[in-house]
Amino acid sequence: MPRHHTVAGIYDIMSHILEQYLSGTDDNTTDYIAEGLMRSLVVSSRKVLGNPEDYEARSNIMWTATWALNGLLACGKPTDWMVHMLGQAVAAYTDATHGHTLSAVSGAYYRLLISRSKDAEKKFCRLAENVWGISSDGKTEKDIAVEGLLRMEEWMRDLGLAMNITACGADVSQLEGMADACPINESGYVILTREDVIEVLRQSL
């Protein structure tokens, strides 16, 4: 597989896990499983970038992909899936590769969640500590959550993912149409309005 499609697949796997992990407020066993899968994916992704012929790393990525969307991680979870809705709306206008449209909108959407929902802030804090290894010493939950997001974006850049929708071929003239093409799910930490969708897309340019 070419690197462009390899990293797109890796981020789609990560996004599948996050769409389920970043929901709910209870101490759910599936969240612990999700954290292990994300850590494994990060390790294997770095190995594959160093050696595209690393069969063990690629097989672990495929094994993680299976668990990322076979229903296990959704057990007991409301799930979110707004990153996928946003990314697919971008793809409808640009025909960009799926995983890259997801990475292009993730940062802006996740920052909106952290700013609007204490439950989201708490979950991003847990993600930062348990997956990205962020220390909590002397920091607020929001500080930890934001630092974890920055660490994730550093990993995304190292992979060579699209970090904005401009890189996917989008421009400001398409935002209204993309918003019209974007279904709004009501099971995440924040229920977006159409105006929210446009603003997330604008912040993703």
Side-chain angles (χ1 to χ4, degrees), residues 4-187:
H4 178 81
H5 293 291
T6 294
V7 300
I10 288 168
Y11 193 73
D12 191 21
I13 296 165
M14 176 64 83
S15 186
H16 285 172
I17 299 171
L18 289 171
E19 298 279 28
Q20 298 163 93
Y21 179 80
L22 294 170
S23 67
T25 58
D26 60 335
D27 186 25
N28 192 311
T29 296
T30 58
D31 286 338
Y32 295 88
I33 298 170
E35 289 163 358
L37 291 171
M38 286 187 278
R39 290 197 300 271
S40 174
L41 183 64
V42 170
V43 169
S44 294
S45 70
R46 289 173 172 153
K47 289 180 178 178
V48 163
L49 291 189
N51 176 16
E53 303 299 321
D54 188 327
Y55 181 84
E56 182 176 77
R58 284 192 178 272
S59 65
N60 278 331
I61 290 170
M62 292 303 296
W63 189 216
T64 302
T66 297
W67 290 105
L69 203 60
N70 67 0
L72 176 70
L73 299 185
C75 290
K77 304 289 292 183
T79 73
D80 186 335
W81 296 105
M82 275 310 303
V83 166
H84 270 70
M85 300 302 101
L86 290 157
Q88 288 164 359
V90 172
Y93 275 75
T94 65
D95 202 30
T97 304
H98 178 62
H100 290 281
T101 65
L102 301 181
S103 62
V105 300
S106 290
Y109 178 63
Y110 290 155
R111 285 178 172 82
L112 179 146
L113 293 185
I114 292 170
S115 69
R116 296 251 195 108
S117 166
K118 291 299 292 183
D119 289 330
E121 180 185 297
K122 184 178 182 68
K123 196 57 171 286
F124 274 96
C125 176
R126 173 174 169 168
L127 175 69
E129 293 177 317
N130 294 349
V131 174
W132 300 108
I134 302 301
S135 170
S136 61
D137 292 348
K139 302 170 187 172
T140 65
E141 281 195 341
K142 186 170 185 178
D143 289 339
I144 299 165
V146 171
E147 188 175 347
L149 182 54
L150 291 172
R151 183 73 57 83
M152 184 172 82
E153 289 176 325
E154 180 182 329
W155 168 73
M156 292 162 67
R157 289 189 184 92
D158 287 345
L159 290 184
L161 289 159
M163 298 303 293
N164 54 68
I165 64 175
T166 304
C168 295
D171 62 60
V172 68
S173 70
Q174 299 168 321
L175 299 189
E176 296 272 348
M178 288 177 183
D180 291 336
C182 181
I184 295 176
N185 293 344
E186 298 186 357
S187 54

Side-chain angles (χ1 to χ4, degrees), residues 86 105 108-109 112 192 196-204:
L86 290 157
V105 300
Y109 178 63
L112 179 146
L192 301 187
D196 289 332
V197 170
I198 292 172
E199 186 56 27
V200 168
L201 292 170
R202 192 183 309 280
Q203 292 298 322
S204 300

